[in-house]
Amino acid sequence: MQKIEIEGGARLKGEVFISGAKNAALPIMAASILASGANRITNTPQLKDISTMGELLSRLGIGFESSGDEVILKTDSISSVEAKYDLVKTMRASVLVLGPLLAKMGKAVISLPGGCAIGARPINLHVMGLQKMGAEISLSEGYVKVSAKRLKGADIHFDVPTVTGTENIMMAAAIADGVTVIENAACEPEVVDLANALISMGAEIQGAGTGVIKIKGVKLLKPLDYKIIPDRIEAGTFMAAAGITRGSLVIRGCNPAHMESVTDKLRQAGLQIEQKDDVLKVKCSGKLNPVDIKTMPYPGFPTDMQAQFMALMAVSEGTSLISEHIFENRFMHVAEMKRMGADIQVEGSTATVRGVRSLNGAPVMATDLRASASLILAGLAAKGKTVVDRVYHLDRGYEKIEKKLKPLGAKIRRIK
Ligand code: EPZ
């Protein structure tokens, strides 16, 4: 089991380049199922989740190659319609092959993703949408089996805006017969990126980025040749790193327009942030102010930045209320931060964070992707040494984070 060791106290300084967005790359890779031929995706982050999706697609008969930030997916023939538990249990985003496989092959057999550290993570809304489009659904032995001779366009209303649910239905509807309207659709930039990728393949989609998306099915889609948007959560994590270490960073290759709720809250916390084109200049010299946040669907404050923001508030000069409205159990990082001296009380879906002068390094354990990032941030600011265990969570979502932090002055290394 690999660990990351950090000697805290260094103020980060310098420039960092943001990688492509994992949560845009995953659905766009799944969209390769819809088009025969060679699909090319660039600005893809080099992450475990990307290779897991590649492995899943290759088991369906799609040729997967990756070199650097380029992924090639050769969809000549689909030889299987099954996504097995052994892969799905490591990455719930595997559910993203459900919609395209059903639309293209008329059948799909996907292991139910099961819960994960942050909550039950059901897919009932994905299934409801496909049923409305004419799919027969059956559940057995932990697998969901869907089949449909021909998917038909339908009006689908989601109780809650589900990101991958919206993406699954959008991909299925792209080659269904007729028009599909998704109401209460997710508006995340990653959903818009998938829509743009599908449009570049010949799909007819309007309204992506709003709560109502209209998809007119077409007969055929051509292969992808598409560049992924930058990762707004990685960029937000580095902004928080500049804040917590009282450093100054130039963050390049990001899209500030995707991060306004995060930038706004970080400015309230006392960070000086300038944005121009694809560059964010972030610095923090003085004290950190306490700021309350509520995680909400986009364009609200993203749940994927909640743990990182909490690390920042743990060393602010006051009390902040952090409430998590998306997932039912996304405070696992609290117990670990308290071991480092943070003063945090959780009551239901709200954490009360009383800032302390400084945290102390300690051995801590990562529990989910974004929680592990928050422990790295806490370690950067803490007095003494922090060792973060189970960093495989980190590697799922952050491309070589210690290689990006070290040139900025962080005393950080990976240990076996
Ligand atoms: C996506 O997960 C992201 N993953 C998550 O990022 C992100 O935290 C989440 O959206 C929220 O923004 C990918 O895009 C691969 P949801 P997803 O469906 O789609 C409930 C990361 O760190 N719900 O938008 O699984 C659900 O329980 C990951 O990269 C249903 O009830 O999230 C949750 O409370 C973590 N039934 C809420 O909706 C359903 O059928 C939002 O979940 C689907 C969802």
Side-chain angles (χ1 to χ4, degrees), residues 22-23 92-93 118 121-126 160-164 303-304 326-327 330 369-370:
K22 164 179 87 79
N23 289 351
R92 56 170 282 102
I118 61 179
R121 313 286 299 270
I123 58 166
N124 59 309
L125 298 176
H126 301 233
V160 291
T162 156
V163 173
T164 48
T303 173
D304 290 351
I326 305 293
F327 290 115
R330 203 169 195 174
L369 166 57
R370 305 302 174 184

Side-chain angles (χ1 to χ4, degrees), residues 172-184:
I175 56 171
D177 284 341
V179 175
T180 298
V181 178
I182 305 173
E183 288 183 345
N184 202 17

